[in-house]
Amino acid sequence: MIKKTDVIVIGAGLSGLTAARKLEELGYSVKVIEARDRVGGRNETHLLADGQVLDLGGQWIGPTQTKMYELCKELKLELFPTHNEGKVILYDHGKKSLMGSKNGALPKLNVFILLGLGLIIKKIEKRVDQIDLDAPWKHPKAKVWDSETLESWVRKNTKLKKVRAYFNIVSEVVFSTEASDISFLHFLFYVKSGSGMDNLLNIDEGAQKERVVGGTQQISIRLSELLKNEVILESPVTRIEQSENGVKVFSKEQFWQAKKVIVTLPPTLAGRITYAPPLPGMRDQLTQRIPAGSVIKIQIIYKTPFWRKKGLTGQAVSFTGPLKIVMDNSLPNDSRGVLVMFMEGNDGREASEWTLEKRTQKAIGCLVKYFGDEAKDYLDYIERNWCDEEFTRGGYGGHFTPGVWSGFGKYLRKPIQHIHWAGAETATVWNGYMEGAVRSGERVATEVSETLKDS
Amino acid sequence: MIKKTDVIVIGAGLSGLTAARKLEELGYSVKVIEARDRVGGRNETHLLADGQVLDLGGQWIGPTQTKMYELCKELKLELFPTHNEGKVILYDHGKKSLMGSKNGALPKLNVFILLGLGLIIKKIEKRVDQIDLDAPWKHPKAKVWDSETLESWVRKNTKLKKVRAYFNIVSEVVFSTEASDISFLHFLFYVKSGSGMDNLLNIDEGAQKERVVGGTQQISIRLSELLKNEVILESPVTRIEQSENGVKVFSKEQFWQAKKVIVTLPPTLAGRITYAPPLPGMRDQLTQRIPAGSVIKIQIIYKTPFWRKKGLTGQAVSFTGPLKIVMDNSLPNDSRGVLVMFMEGNDGREASEWTLEKRTQKAIGCLVKYFGDEAKDYLDYIERNWCDEEFTRGGYGGHFTPGVWSGFGKYLRKPIQHIHWAGAETATVWNGYMEGAVRSGERVATEVSETLKDS
């Protein structure tokens, strides 16, 4: 007989590695199984020819993400601030204006619009305050909020087109999907989970405040090196069988046995594993209902950060696509300039059908509009379409469509016999972010250890 | 070398069997592969001890479902009318009233409410008329309609609570899900696809007009008997590989080769197959976004159809759950009475967690309220929770959540190299119904035959 591991963890991203580590610390034996040929999940660091690195996935951390700060400190990873000196470009259907970079979440718009926007944000914040992160479906108005999309709620609450457009940008930037696609209740939950609108959207003192020297994948690499057992790579899990005695986890070629299994995949991918016996209907239907957003992350490298000498941050916010958001992503101790930009939601979907050449042209076209002709002379173009990634299938994370929190929220973290669920999408605090992934890993490790103690 | 089949069809429901048959008629060799130990998909006929049968899944056909009438005639299956003589019970929070059974889609409510309801239905019908069934996303207002849920649109258009409640019932009855869960654009598409509100909801001259003697699964059984090759049962497909030369289709134990493959599974299940090479991001993301409704179909058998002698049809419509809809489902040439009822949407979700005993009690409790104490003395209780079915995972079909038609509609039927898509969810006419399944099978057979001719 093979000696059974205590716990198998599926997925070697931040959530899975955190869970594995904590369980090992508690004295349990753990195997981590990963589909890809690398650890890190949605944190992937791209090596440039000269040894410098860029993050193709999640890259920022900021205030209230306490677990991430602790983790980076412990793993001896240095941080550096996101460049935020100078003016931000607001591009409004051909009209370019400049705004300060320390404004908070509000773009520079005319006073009438700003007032309208302020009112809406106040209304949202009032509702956000009332959300219970553990159970957003329990609010007395949850069903009503969950029957609206973010877009239909905003449209009902303001006639100002600019304000509506602003929330479409917010939705694309935060969820990589259209404001039409997400439940208004989910938006409220997410804003609360991310410490409020300002914190979610800001650079200074916000979620985009700092970056990791050497790239965020280093966090997972270093975490995996601390584990007793090597992570089993290139082994997409296809099947989980469970019985009273424990679980069997199958890849195409082999299988492993354990007492418990933790699935850290995003719900939409967790639903693709074959379970025997089949999972209860409600758990299955939950996984049918949390699609990933659509995002292509693009980074363009220039000889210098030419925008800085013009007094610009390198940030641009545009009401029109395909690039609605651009930021300075230059490297520390490097003379080159890097711009990072996102084609998101419907922009990302349309761009998915373009050739690489067309996407490059379109991106450069936008940058020229925002930053001038110097944007034409780039050294390198690097992109990652997360929708095409077989083991992610979208970004930044899964979002709840209308009716899902109220109809299925209670199944999100509910274990099924020996199967426990983790991943950024299951987090209450910083849901969808690296911080949420780590927190979900800690939560599930405690949960599993409690059940192992009892058995 | 194994001789390659021309076409593999995955799924032996109406769509797959229709496609297989038509392709055989055109001279191609076809293999149908089915996950279950039976054909019929969402048509499943339950044998009673005495040899009589009840349908656990789809069971009704009606006007404009021309393919279904042709098919039944050709297969020598007889039809019989749904019982619709007498009064219909309207149960409104403890208050019971009776209405005629030939009213059209409108319940008997006070004049003020009926007027409000009439206005809303008129508004809906005006919009329905403008929908292009082939491409609902092309309407100039498609994005706005697709950013609303059916519930938020109705709430915006009427203050009358009864009218809002009416549409919640409509949503549960037609989609097995809450009005909060579906896109308003999808609702418009679906109503048009189903020949209008009246036709969708009615018994006389509507989609619930007639039933098949011997049960609807007979259609699939007889279709499968007409095929040259026997359907390969109990073989859930886990993997599809394709190359220039064609496809390989894998179950757990074996594989088959062909030039083309037709996947007839509902999108949410089609997305669970592993594809090599991986499918393009947009096709994958589509399958993340069309969840199935939640439905438990219950049938309760009585010694006699006791409601008939009271002048009742056996139909009840209730504003409160868990049974919002009941109908007479008695058998032809049988003295017993059968009531069929549905726990749908949030009712179905809640009831999924109950024990069989509790569901039985709750169902009988409702029937007693609607039909009196005689409802207590039943002979048999038969149920099917379609959410728990591993190879269906919900019912009646998949619905489009907000933003999905506009963001992803064009990928619904778009072949990926040698893979073609069918199934009731891909139909333009009678989407989600048996009629739509058959039409999708015919459409895909033509599509595949065209590409085979070209190659």
Side-chain angles (χ1 to χ4, degrees):
Chain A
M1 273 297 285
I2 306 157
K3 198 188 160 291
K4 224 188 259 180
T5 312
D6 290 320
V7 185
I8 288 173
V9 175
I10 302 176
L14 283 175
S15 172
L17 294 169
T18 301
R21 189 185 172 201
K22 183 157 178 184
L23 283 164
E24 280 195 357
E25 283 171 2
L26 292 168
Y28 299 104
S29 60
V30 184
K31 268 203 181 85
V32 182
I33 301 172
E34 166 61 41
R36 305 175 197 263
D37 59 3
R38 61 167 183 82
V39 299
R42 287 170 260 182
N43 286 157
E44 181 176 359
T45 302
H46 177 80
L47 197 65
L48 298 172
D50 60 0
Q52 285 276 26
V53 295
L54 288 173
D55 279 315
L56 300 179
Q59 64 166 61
W60 284 295
I61 65 173
T64 80
Q65 300 184 346
T66 51
K67 299 286 177 186
M68 286 304 292
Y69 280 105
E70 279 170 31
L71 196 54
C72 289
K73 196 176 161 190
E74 193 198 337
L75 298 173
K76 300 197 191 329
L77 287 164
E78 278 174 66
L79 304 176
F80 67 103
T82 303
H83 178 75
N84 197 30
E85 296 302 314
K87 296 285 183 189
V88 175
I89 288 167
L90 183 70
Y91 190 80
D92 185 1
H93 299 83
K95 241 183 65 191
K96 210 159 75 176
S97 59
L98 297 176
M99 53 187 185
S101 62
K102 322 280 176 174
N103 266 6
L106 299 179
K108 196 177 174 187
L109 295 160
N110 84 43
V111 177
F112 185 55
I113 290 167
L114 273 185
L115 279 175
L117 186 53
L119 278 175
I120 294 276
I121 289 177
K122 222 168 157 176
K123 271 194 182 180
I124 287 172
E125 282 175 343
K126 200 181 127 194
R127 286 158 176 78
V128 164
D129 283 344
Q130 301 165 25
I131 297 288
D132 172 359
L133 287 178
D134 289 320
W137 59 89
K138 285 189 176 161
H139 191 280
K141 296 212 71 178
K143 276 199 181 166
V144 176
W145 294 340
D146 208 17
S147 75
E148 296 273 2
T149 65
L150 171 60
E151 184 171 330
S152 68
W153 186 89
V154 169
R155 196 185 306 118
K156 215 166 61 180
N157 282 277
T158 181
K159 292 202 183 313
L160 295 165
K161 278 193 182 166
K162 275 276 141 36
V163 174
R164 295 174 180 181
Y166 170 81
F167 278 97
N168 278 326
I169 297 176
V170 166
S171 178
E172 290 193 15
V173 168
V174 175
F175 301 97
S176 309
T177 204
E178 301 297 309
S180 62
D181 306 350
I182 60 168
S183 152
F184 180 59
L185 178 64
H186 183 61
F187 180 72
L188 298 176
F189 160 80
Y190 209 79
V191 170
K192 174 115 175 195
S193 179
S195 304
M197 285 277 281
D198 273 0
N199 207 336
L200 258 188
L201 297 169
N202 278 0
I203 293 176
D204 290 334
E205 298 315 310
Q208 285 68 238
K209 186 182 180 185
E210 292 181 275
R211 293 162 60 197
V212 176
V213 177
T216 51
Q217 200 188 337
Q218 277 299 319
I219 309 170
S220 294
I221 292 170
R222 293 192 186 183
L223 273 176
S224 70
E225 288 166 354
L226 294 174
L227 296 178
K228 285 183 193 134
N229 292 315
E230 236 173 283
V231 171
I232 299 162
L233 297 173
E234 294 181 90
S235 301
V237 166
T238 55
R239 185 178 175 85
I240 298 177
E241 290 178 4
Q242 58 178 337
S243 65
E244 267 184 36
N245 304 322
V247 296
K248 274 191 194 180
V249 174
F250 295 77
S251 74
K252 212 179 152 199
E253 279 97 15
Q254 45 186 325
F255 75 92
W256 303 267
Q257 283 181 290
K259 294 177 188 159
K260 303 281 168 190
V261 61
I262 296 170
V263 179
T264 71
L265 314 184
T268 196
L269 296 186
R272 294 174 186 192
I273 295 171
T274 302
Y275 299 86
L279 296 184
M282 292 304 99
R283 166 70 209 183
D284 188 279
Q285 289 215 327
L286 170 81
T287 66
Q288 299 177 26
R289 286 165 160 80
I290 308 178
S294 314
V295 58
I296 307 172
K297 181 177 180 177
I298 297 168
Q299 297 180 78
I300 299 182
I301 305 178
Y302 293 95
K303 199 151 177 277
T304 64
F306 62 86
W307 49 91
R308 293 188 186 174
K309 63 180 193 292
K310 295 178 175 178
L312 299 171
T313 51
Q315 292 159 46
V317 180
S318 169
F319 282 105
T320 46
L323 292 185
K324 296 208 179 99
I325 198 92
V326 183
M327 290 176 71
D328 185 319
N329 215 34
S330 303
L331 296 158
N333 305 316
D334 191 279
S335 60
R336 289 169 296 187
V338 183
L339 291 174
V340 61
M341 57 217 80
F342 302 91
M343 294 182 180
E344 294 176 307
N346 283 338
D347 288 330
R349 290 158 200 163
E350 208 187 326
S352 286
E353 301 205 48
W354 298 342
T355 59
L356 172 63
E357 198 191 347
K358 184 167 177 187
R359 273 194 301 277
T360 311
Q361 280 172 1
K362 287 277 192 177
I364 296 294
C366 287
L367 296 183
V368 167
K369 282 188 217 159
Y370 308 155
F371 301 106
D373 277 345
E374 281 172 274
K376 283 179 186 165
D377 301 320
Y378 66 96
L379 299 176
D380 209 353
Y381 171 100
I382 292 153
E383 66 167 23
R384 169 54 50 94
N385 185 344
W386 284 94
C387 310
D388 289 341
E389 288 291 294
E390 188 179 11
F391 302 120
T392 309
R393 285 307 190 186
Y396 310 113
H399 54 267
F400 284 61
T401 57
V404 180
W405 271 119
S406 26
F408 298 90
K410 61 180 162 180
Y411 306 112
L412 184 60
R413 289 177 291 270
K414 191 183 173 189
I416 310 288
Q417 202 181 357
H418 302 305
I419 309 178
H420 295 254
W421 312 101
E425 280 83 357
T426 68
T428 51
V429 174
W430 284 105
N431 184 295
Y433 285 75
M434 294 189 279
E435 175 78 9
V438 169
R439 285 174 183 253
S440 83
E442 292 188 351
R443 185 263 309 154
V444 84
T446 307
E447 189 181 292
V448 168
S449 129
E450 293 299 323
T451 67
L452 283 172
K453 260 188 264 170
D454 294 346
S455 65
Chain B
M1 274 298 286
I2 306 157
K3 198 186 161 290
K4 223 189 263 181
T5 313
D6 290 320
V7 185
I8 288 173
V9 175
I10 302 176
L14 283 175
S15 172
L17 294 169
T18 302
R21 187 184 175 202
K22 183 157 178 184
L23 283 163
E24 280 195 357
E25 283 171 2
L26 293 167
Y28 299 105
S29 60
V30 184
K31 268 203 181 84
V32 182
I33 301 172
E34 166 59 42
R36 304 175 198 263
D37 59 2
R38 61 167 184 81
V39 299
R42 286 170 262 182
N43 286 157
E44 181 176 359
T45 302
H46 177 80
L47 198 65
L48 297 172
D50 60 359
Q52 285 277 24
V53 296
L54 289 173
D55 279 315
L56 301 179
Q59 66 165 60
W60 284 296
I61 66 174
T64 79
Q65 299 185 347
T66 51
K67 300 285 176 187
M68 286 303 293
Y69 281 105
E70 280 171 29
L71 197 54
C72 289
K73 196 174 162 189
E74 193 199 339
L75 298 173
K76 302 197 191 326
L77 287 163
E78 279 174 67
L79 303 176
F80 67 103
T82 303
H83 179 74
N84 196 30
E85 295 303 314
K87 296 285 183 188
V88 175
I89 288 167
L90 182 70
Y91 190 80
D92 184 1
H93 299 83
K95 242 182 64 190
K96 211 160 75 175
S97 58
L98 296 176
M99 53 188 185
S101 62
K102 323 279 177 177
N103 265 4
L106 298 181
K108 197 178 175 186
L109 295 160
N110 83 44
V111 176
F112 184 56
I113 291 168
L114 273 185
L115 279 176
L117 187 54
L119 278 174
I120 294 276
I121 290 176
K122 221 168 158 179
K123 270 194 181 180
I124 287 172
E125 282 174 343
K126 200 181 127 193
R127 286 158 177 77
V128 164
D129 283 344
Q130 301 165 26
I131 298 287
D132 173 359
L133 286 178
D134 289 320
W137 60 88
K138 284 189 177 161
H139 191 280
K141 296 212 71 178
K143 276 198 181 165
V144 176
W145 294 340
D146 208 16
S147 76
E148 296 273 2
T149 65
L150 171 59
E151 184 171 332
S152 69
W153 186 87
V154 169
R155 196 184 307 118
K156 214 167 62 182
N157 282 275
T158 181
K159 292 204 183 312
L160 295 166
K161 278 193 180 165
K162 276 275 141 33
V163 175
R164 293 175 181 181
Y166 171 81
F167 278 97
N168 278 327
I169 297 176
V170 166
S171 178
E172 289 192 16
V173 168
V174 176
F175 301 97
S176 309
T177 204
E178 301 298 308
S180 61
D181 306 350
I182 59 168
S183 152
F184 181 59
L185 178 63
H186 184 60
F187 180 72
L188 297 176
F189 160 80
Y190 210 80
V191 170
K192 173 116 174 194
S193 179
S195 303
M197 285 276 282
D198 273 358
N199 207 336
L200 258 188
L201 296 170
N202 278 359
I203 294 176
D204 290 335
E205 299 314 313
Q208 286 66 239
K209 186 181 180 187
E210 292 180 278
R211 293 163 59 197
V212 176
V213 177
T216 50
Q217 200 188 338
Q218 277 299 320
I219 309 171
S220 293
I221 292 170
R222 293 194 185 181
L223 272 177
S224 70
E225 288 165 355
L226 295 174
L227 296 178
K228 284 182 194 134
N229 292 315
E230 236 172 284
V231 171
I232 299 162
L233 297 173
E234 294 182 270
S235 301
V237 167
T238 55
R239 185 179 175 85
I240 298 176
E241 290 179 3
Q242 58 176 337
S243 65
E244 266 183 39
N245 304 324
V247 295
K248 274 191 195 179
V249 173
F250 295 76
S251 74
K252 211 179 154 200
E253 277 97 16
Q254 45 186 324
F255 75 92
W256 304 268
Q257 285 182 289
K259 293 177 187 158
K260 303 281 170 192
V261 61
I262 295 171
V263 179
T264 70
L265 313 185
T268 196
L269 296 186
R272 295 175 186 192
I273 295 172
T274 302
Y275 299 85
L279 296 184
M282 292 303 101
R283 167 70 209 181
D284 188 279
Q285 289 215 326
L286 171 80
T287 65
Q288 299 176 27
R289 286 165 161 78
I290 308 178
S294 314
V295 58
I296 307 173
K297 182 176 180 178
I298 296 168
Q299 296 180 78
I300 298 182
I301 305 178
Y302 292 95
K303 197 152 180 275
T304 63
F306 62 86
W307 49 91
R308 292 187 188 176
K309 64 178 193 293
K310 296 180 176 177
L312 298 171
T313 51
Q315 292 160 47
V317 179
S318 169
F319 282 105
T320 46
L323 291 185
K324 296 207 178 100
I325 199 93
V326 182
M327 290 176 71
D328 184 320
N329 216 33
S330 304
L331 297 158
N333 306 315
D334 190 279
S335 60
R336 289 169 294 187
V338 182
L339 291 175
V340 61
M341 58 216 80
F342 302 92
M343 294 183 181
E344 295 176 307
N346 283 338
D347 288 329
R349 290 158 201 162
E350 209 186 325
S352 286
E353 300 205 49
W354 299 341
T355 59
L356 172 64
E357 198 191 346
K358 184 167 178 188
R359 273 194 301 277
T360 312
Q361 279 173 1
K362 288 277 193 178
I364 296 294
C366 287
L367 296 184
V368 168
K369 282 188 218 161
Y370 309 155
F371 301 106
D373 277 345
E374 280 172 274
K376 283 180 185 166
D377 301 319
Y378 65 96
L379 300 176
D380 210 352
Y381 171 100
I382 292 153
E383 67 167 23
R384 170 53 51 93
N385 184 344
W386 285 94
C387 311
D388 290 341
E389 288 291 294
E390 188 178 11
F391 303 119
T392 310
R393 285 305 190 188
Y396 310 113
H399 55 267
F400 284 60
T401 57
V404 179
W405 271 119
S406 24
F408 298 90
K410 62 180 162 181
Y411 306 113
L412 184 61
R413 290 177 291 271
K414 191 184 172 187
I416 310 288
Q417 202 181 358
H418 302 304
I419 309 177
H420 295 253
W421 312 101
E425 281 83 357
T426 68
T428 52
V429 174
W430 284 104
N431 184 295
Y433 285 75
M434 294 189 277
E435 176 79 8
V438 169
R439 286 175 183 252
S440 84
E442 293 189 350
R443 185 261 311 154
V444 83
T446 308
E447 190 181 291
V448 167
S449 128
E450 293 300 321
T451 66
L452 283 171
K453 262 189 262 168
D454 293 347
S455 65

